Amino acid sequence: MKNDSSSRIVADLREWIASAAPGAKLPPTRTLVARYGASPVTVQKALRTLAAQGAVESRPGVGTFVRAVRVARPNDYGWQTAALGSPRNRAPRLSTALRTTPNDVIALHSGYPDRELLPERLVRAAFTRAARGDAAVSRPPAAGLPELQAWFAAELGAATPAGTTPSAPGDVVVFPGSQSALGTAFRALVGAGRPLLLESPTYWGAILAAAQAGVQVVPVPSGAHGPDPEELARAFARTGARAFYAQPNFANPTGARWPPDLAGRILDTVRGHGAFLIEDDWAHDFGIGADPVPLAARDDGGHVVYLRSLTKSVSPAVRIAGVVARGPARTRILADAQAESMYVSGILQTAALDVVTQPAWQTHLRNLRHQLAARRDLLIASLREHAPAARLEAVPQGGLNVWVRLPDATDLARLVRDCESDGVLVAPGGEWFPAEPTGAYLRLNYSGPNPGAFPDGVRAVGRALARQRTR
């Protein structure tokens, strides 16, 4: 053990620390000097290294101690989300997920899949055919092309269980993207000044659409497996809300997928309060370890208003979404849609329909599942190796991102700046909360460009976290 190398001292002390209790005091410096036959400078260097690694902490005038695990698990402040509600006059801003980046930046922030994950050949061929047909010069019906309406209805109908009436093509309204559909749904079903329940955290675009519609946002805490039905029932009873916006499958940002029993309880709660569930199935095409089963397929009473987008899975240039609604709700939604945009481009509708009805579309989706799984697993492995302080709350079974919890004391704004200075863009989790964030989070996207750089990107996150621990 007689060695003046600080690295040997570090290695030896780490073995001792591994078996010591948190908070145990290390021997004084003079004892270590004698034990290792090293100079005081070398011993101090070793102690500084251990402190930088988070193994020990120094208390001036007292000594050096094995670093205690102060928090065995992150504090859960989700209940405060329901108690406090949403602050007044909170103006959401455009999300970091929309930032464009130069080629030399590692992009872990994006909300869109990389080009190599898109059916580019199918899209190009579809636009060529659409440009040669009547869609190039004719005005489509206000509710959408009948053939595209039928496709949306048939896809949802395929998941409808026996004994439930499937949706019909006439229940579908086609929109120029999900953002437009969200705004219409909030205006038509809720109305300015009235309460709308939102999961918290939730899709930042829904928060933005709610602000633009002037509705009163009421956050409902939701975790890695979805919202608490009892908390949701209390929110309905307390506010008199008549609509709840949620993402039951592969939620953005948490990746949560509601278990079937929870989905049933949520649906019963919505029905019991005579309300609407606005179901956003944005990630329908991005299943990895599970296939999405829309709640709308289990409801024929008009309580679920179903939103299905094709923009992310087909192409950002094909901004097409379908809303399935029944009864007077559908009438109001169509009226608002007509006032907002008259109709949706026939070429875009025709191209979208062409892509999703090609036999090669299903082949593309099967390949996409494998590619997303490999990317997700690489990013998660990188987090566990290079940024262990970033806690993954659940491995998502679909979607495009992982949701990680950072230590409670993390200065998130500084971490984001440090990562960007290191050539890595990450999305701060606060953007996905309709009220104050209940912790420090990052949303990291595994569908962005250059997955081979994921380990380097996560190393930058790990370095930024380590710098905060040593300050």
Side-chain angles (χ1 to χ4, degrees):
M1 294 177 62
K2 305 293 185 181
N3 194 307
D4 61 359
S5 168
S6 66
S7 60
R8 279 293 299 274
I9 298 174
V10 168
D12 191 74
L13 286 176
R14 284 197 72 88
E15 290 184 13
W16 180 84
I17 290 167
S19 60
K25 186 176 181 180
L26 273 67
T29 299
R30 62 176 177 274
T31 301
L32 297 177
V33 166
R35 177 183 300 178
Y36 295 106
S39 69
V41 173
T42 300
V43 170
Q44 288 296 333
K45 179 180 178 183
L47 294 176
R48 286 196 300 272
T49 299
L50 289 169
Q53 294 173 350
V56 300
E57 56 186 352
S58 178
R59 302 175 193 170
V62 180
T64 302
F65 299 82
V66 175
R67 189 175 182 88
V69 181
R70 291 185 171 84
V71 182
R73 57 183 175 79
N75 292 322
D76 182 5
Y77 302 117
W79 68 271
Q80 292 188 3
T81 294
L84 293 172
S86 184
R88 294 183 180 273
N89 302 321
R90 184 176 190 263
R93 58 186 179 84
L94 289 180
S95 173
T96 304
L98 292 181
R99 287 186 60 181
T100 56
T101 61
N103 293 332
D104 58 346
V105 168
I106 301 174
L108 297 177
H109 71 298
S110 178
Y112 286 85
D114 186 37
R115 182 171 169 175
E116 69 178 28
L117 298 177
L118 301 176
E120 185 172 341
R121 181 181 61 81
L122 292 179
V123 172
R124 291 183 181 277
F127 270 110
T128 299
R129 285 189 286 268
R132 293 172 180 165
D134 292 342
V137 293
S138 60
R139 179 178 66 83
L145 293 179
E147 300 85 354
L148 185 56
Q149 289 177 291
W151 181 85
F152 278 118
E155 184 190 58
L156 183 58
T160 301
T164 302
T165 304
S167 58
D171 297 327
V172 179
V173 179
V174 177
F175 283 84
S178 62
Q179 195 63 27
S180 174
L182 285 173
T184 283
F186 295 165
R187 287 190 298 269
L189 303 180
V190 182
R194 295 179 178 176
L196 167 69
L197 308 187
L198 291 180
E199 290 181 286
S200 180
T202 191
Y203 171 46
W204 68 267
I207 301 172
L208 180 61
Q212 292 177 326
V215 302
Q216 177 193 349
V217 169
V218 179
V220 176
S222 188
H225 303 291
D228 180 349
E230 294 181 359
E231 192 65 64
L232 178 64
R234 283 192 290 270
F236 271 125
R238 185 178 71 251
T239 65
R242 288 295 176 262
F244 172 42
Y245 167 82
Q247 305 166 79
N249 287 291
F250 319 134
N252 179 3
T254 63
R257 178 174 180 262
W258 298 359
D261 59 335
L262 173 64
R265 292 180 64 191
I266 295 291
L267 191 52
D268 287 344
T269 300
V270 170
R271 288 168 173 160
H273 286 273
F276 294 99
L277 170 64
I278 302 171
E279 179 182 6
D280 189 346
D281 197 14
W282 73 277
H284 188 90
D285 298 319
F286 300 131
I288 298 176
D291 294 316
V293 179
L295 262 70
R298 301 164 57 174
D299 172 67
D300 56 8
H303 286 280
V304 181
V305 173
Y306 178 69
L307 169 57
R308 165 76 160 100
S309 174
L310 295 175
T311 302
K312 284 186 169 65
S313 54
V314 173
S315 168
V318 183
R319 293 196 57 78
I320 292 294
V323 169
V324 182
R326 308 191 195 202
R330 191 260 187 190
T331 303
R332 291 197 182 189
I333 286 171
L334 177 58
D336 188 275
Q338 287 180 288
E340 182 74 11
S341 58
M342 297 290 187
Y343 56 86
V344 181
S345 164
I347 283 190
L348 290 184
Q349 292 189 67
T350 301
L353 179 64
D354 189 315
V355 170
V356 298
T357 54
Q358 293 290 334
W361 169 246
Q362 294 302 323
T363 302
H364 165 74
L365 292 181
R366 287 191 292 270
N367 292 335
L368 178 62
R369 175 179 293 233
H370 296 302
Q371 293 183 68
L372 289 176
R375 287 162 166 263
R376 177 201 62 186
D377 294 347
L378 175 60
L379 182 58
I380 290 175
S382 300
L383 283 165
R384 288 171 174 164
E385 180 178 358
H386 303 301
R391 179 175 175 266
L392 186 68
E393 300 205 323
V395 175
Q397 295 301 299
L400 302 178
N401 51 267
V402 296
W403 183 241
V404 294
R405 175 77 183 264
L406 305 180
D408 287 341
T410 302
D411 183 335
L412 188 56
R414 190 176 76 199
L415 182 137
V416 171
R417 291 194 302 270
D418 287 350
C419 287
E420 186 164 358
S421 297
D422 232 349
V424 180
L425 274 185
V426 294
E431 297 177 0
W432 280 267
F433 285 88
E436 293 83 0
T438 56
Y441 290 90
L442 287 179
R443 196 202 72 162
L444 303 177
N445 189 296
Y446 51 77
S447 71
N450 192 14
F454 287 177
D456 290 335
V458 175
R459 283 190 189 97
V461 175
R463 287 193 296 269
L465 285 170
R467 282 194 290 269
Q468 294 202 14
R469 288 199 303 269
T470 59
R471 290 181 183 177

